[in-house]
Amino acid sequence: MEVENWIPQTLIEFVLVVLFSLSIGLEQRKRFPKEKQTFGTDRTFAFIGVLGFLLLLADKETLIPFLVGFVMVGVFLAIYYFQKIKIEGRYGLTTVILGLITYSFSLILLKNPHWFSLLFFVAVIILAQIKKPLQDFSDEIDSEEFITLAKFIIITGVVLPLLPKETGLDWLPVSPYNIWLAVVVVSAISYLSYLLRKYAFPKAGLLLTGILGGLYSSTASTIILAKKSKETGRQPKTYAATIVMATAMMFLRIYILIVIFNVALALKALPYFIVLFGVTLTVGFWMYRSGKDEVSASQPILDDRNPLEFKVAVVFSLLYVLFSAITQFSITHFGQQGLNGLSIIVGFTDIDPFLLNLFQGHYDVTSHALLAATLQAIVGNNIIKLGYAWFLSGEGTKKWVLKGFGVVLLFNIAAILLLYTY
């Protein structure tokens, strides 16, 4: 029997109002010393919440008593605010806003499901408590980050819904909506990695640098870390381990994309990606552990370039359309053999547009063929990363990169052979 069936709804709502109001009051008491508390704290906020609840019960239809009470409470809070400015010279509105929110909480309970009211409860308590961390964070954040956030909102919430979901072209099996959705998803993963690397872990060690960089772009991370290993001339095992870890995160990132766009393919690919991700992670971690006694080097700095640049989105979109057309042509004229050949060639370029096209496209091929093409493209991508690491790394790092990628490629090729065998 559910709780709400034997406990009156009004009692539940009253208890929630009292708890919320008291929590706000206790937070205010903790934040301000007694000599600065010109406005009440715990009991006062509790009474404000209870007053709003009682006046709401008086007339739930027109809300007239509730609105009159809101105006009266607002007048008293305005008097308090101007007196605070006069006496203390402080202009902060937090206490006034919290007083009005406390009074209005009962209305939120009435008009919304309880899960939303509780979420609102938690959000207000947290926001009231984290003033200092927010101030510290705002001091560190670059002003350009707000432009970056605005770009992300535009490409996600403005451009995407406006695009047509149908395509009238025989040679292009995906719609403009699908194309831009791929841009949005890849940008979201890159943007999250960028934010974590820049703000959550600004002084990340080599290993964490590779992990976060691999979520953004394993190829870019490989190039930067390889060059850094040559510059420092130290920690060859650690740099090699970091490069391998970036590739491990590539497997994770690609599988996340499969889950988002093609659930049926994700179920078939799961055992293969678990093994490949696990093997690559194990190799990288073993190399890192064996290199812990190496002389410490300066921390590498990955490229903090804005991942949401418009030209990057345009190039990605154009590549997506190009690979869509080429894939459609290859499958139409050469069948699965054409897809296999194309996947091997594409592996030596940027594989994300090609893979997303496979995951999203409606091609006349089996999920077995799609998974094979995906693993073949990954092999080519890993070979090209091995080439970058070999030519750009320091002498000590080269042999460890070769060993690490050798194991990864061996398992990658074995997975493809197993797929073709069964």
Side-chain angles (χ1 to χ4, degrees):
M1 189 174 186
E2 294 184 2
V3 173
E4 292 186 358
N5 291 336
W6 57 273
I7 297 180
Q9 183 76 9
T10 303
L11 177 59
I12 295 175
E13 292 173 349
F14 177 72
V15 170
L16 288 175
V17 167
V18 172
L19 286 175
F20 176 78
S21 307
L22 274 174
S23 299
I24 295 294
L26 289 170
E27 189 278 332
Q28 290 292 290
R29 179 183 288 278
K30 182 180 179 181
R31 194 154 64 92
F32 294 107
K34 285 187 176 181
E35 59 273 14
K36 290 188 177 181
Q37 289 174 0
T38 56
F39 183 70
T41 53
D42 38 22
R43 287 194 311 160
T44 306
F45 276 90
F47 286 136
I48 290 175
V50 170
L51 176 64
F53 184 74
L54 292 176
L55 293 177
L56 184 62
L57 287 181
D59 189 346
K60 291 184 178 181
E61 298 300 325
T62 65
L63 302 179
I64 291 176
F66 179 83
L67 294 175
V68 171
F70 185 85
V71 172
M72 291 177 60
V73 171
V75 169
F76 282 114
L77 289 173
I79 294 172
Y80 152 73
Y81 179 67
F82 288 112
Q83 282 296 109
K84 183 185 75 169
I85 294 175
K86 181 179 179 181
I87 297 171
E88 302 177 15
R90 295 189 295 118
Y91 292 84
L93 272 170
T94 303
T95 301
V96 174
I97 298 298
L98 285 174
L100 296 175
I101 289 175
T102 302
Y103 180 85
S104 304
F105 184 67
S106 55
L107 183 62
I108 295 171
L109 273 173
L110 176 67
K111 298 293 184 180
N112 298 279
H114 282 176
W115 68 263
F116 176 80
S117 302
L118 292 173
L119 179 62
F120 180 85
F121 186 150
V122 172
V124 171
I125 293 296
I126 292 175
L127 287 173
Q129 188 65 38
I130 61 172
K131 178 180 179 181
K132 184 63 167 60
L134 281 177
Q135 288 177 336
D136 294 341
F137 179 72
S138 65
D139 291 338
E140 295 178 4
I141 195 168
D142 295 337
S143 58
E144 293 182 359
E145 295 302 336
F146 297 103
I147 302 298
T148 302
L149 177 61
K151 290 178 181 178
F152 183 70
I153 293 173
I154 289 172
I155 69 171
T156 304
V158 178
V159 176
L160 183 62
L162 295 176
L163 294 173
K165 296 184 179 181
E166 303 294 334
T167 177
L169 303 173
D170 295 334
W171 56 270
L172 189 63
V174 290
S175 66
Y177 179 89
N178 295 130
I179 295 170
W180 198 254
L181 180 60
V183 174
V184 168
V185 172
V186 172
S187 297
I189 295 174
S190 299
Y191 188 39
L192 177 60
S193 171
Y194 164 78
L195 292 176
L196 287 173
R197 189 173 69 246
K198 190 169 183 179
Y199 295 106
F201 306 101
K203 298 180 180 178
L206 271 170
L207 189 64
L208 189 56
T209 298
I211 291 172
L212 295 177
L215 282 175
Y216 173 66
S217 170
S218 59
T219 303
S221 299
T222 297
I223 293 172
I224 294 169
L225 289 166
K227 288 180 178 179
K228 196 70 178 180
S229 74
K230 191 170 186 178
E231 290 175 10
T232 61
R234 294 174 290 178
Q235 292 184 281
K237 290 183 183 179
T238 307
Y239 275 103
T242 305
I243 292 170
V244 173
M245 282 294 192
T247 294
M249 299 313 293
M250 175 205 66
F251 284 112
L252 178 61
R253 179 168 58 89
I254 290 176
Y255 189 74
I256 291 172
L257 295 175
I258 297 175
V259 170
I260 292 172
F261 290 107
N262 196 325
V263 177
L265 180 60
L267 293 175
K268 187 174 185 62
L270 181 59
Y272 294 92
F273 274 83
I274 286 178
V275 171
L276 292 172
F277 174 70
V279 167
T280 310
L281 201 66
T282 301
V283 170
F285 186 71
W286 175 81
M287 292 170 65
Y288 177 77
R289 290 279 296 179
S290 64
K292 287 190 70 174
D293 296 333
E294 294 176 334
V295 179
S296 177
S298 59
Q299 298 296 339
I301 301 175
L302 291 181
D303 187 3
D304 280 334
R305 183 180 56 185
N306 174 8
L308 299 177
E309 290 180 355
F310 181 72
K311 64 180 181 180
V312 175
V314 170
V315 170
F316 186 95
S317 303
L318 293 175
L319 286 174
Y320 189 98
V321 172
L322 176 63
F323 284 126
S324 296
I326 294 175
T327 304
Q328 180 72 7
F329 178 84
S330 300
I331 293 174
T332 302
H333 291 81
F334 303 104
Q336 186 174 336
Q337 289 75 19
L339 178 62
N340 289 334
L342 180 63
S343 64
I344 295 171
I345 296 171
V346 168
F348 296 93
T349 65
D350 185 1
I351 65 172
D352 279 351
F354 172 73
L355 292 181
L356 282 169
N357 171 57
L358 286 184
F359 305 154
Q360 264 194 321
H362 303 286
Y363 300 108
D364 188 20
V365 292
T366 64
S367 59
H368 195 87
L370 291 178
L371 179 55
T374 300
L375 294 177
Q376 286 163 182
I378 291 174
V379 166
N381 186 253
N382 284 335
I383 291 174
I384 198 69
K385 282 185 294 187
L386 173 59
Y388 285 138
W390 177 265
F391 287 106
L392 299 176
S393 296
E395 290 300 322
T397 305
K398 287 183 179 180
K399 65 177 183 179
W400 288 104
V401 165
L402 184 60
K403 291 179 181 179
F405 271 96
V407 174
V408 173
L409 285 169
L410 181 65
F411 274 85
N412 204 158
I413 295 171
I416 296 172
L417 293 176
L418 182 65
L419 192 63
Y420 279 115
T421 302
Y422 298 98

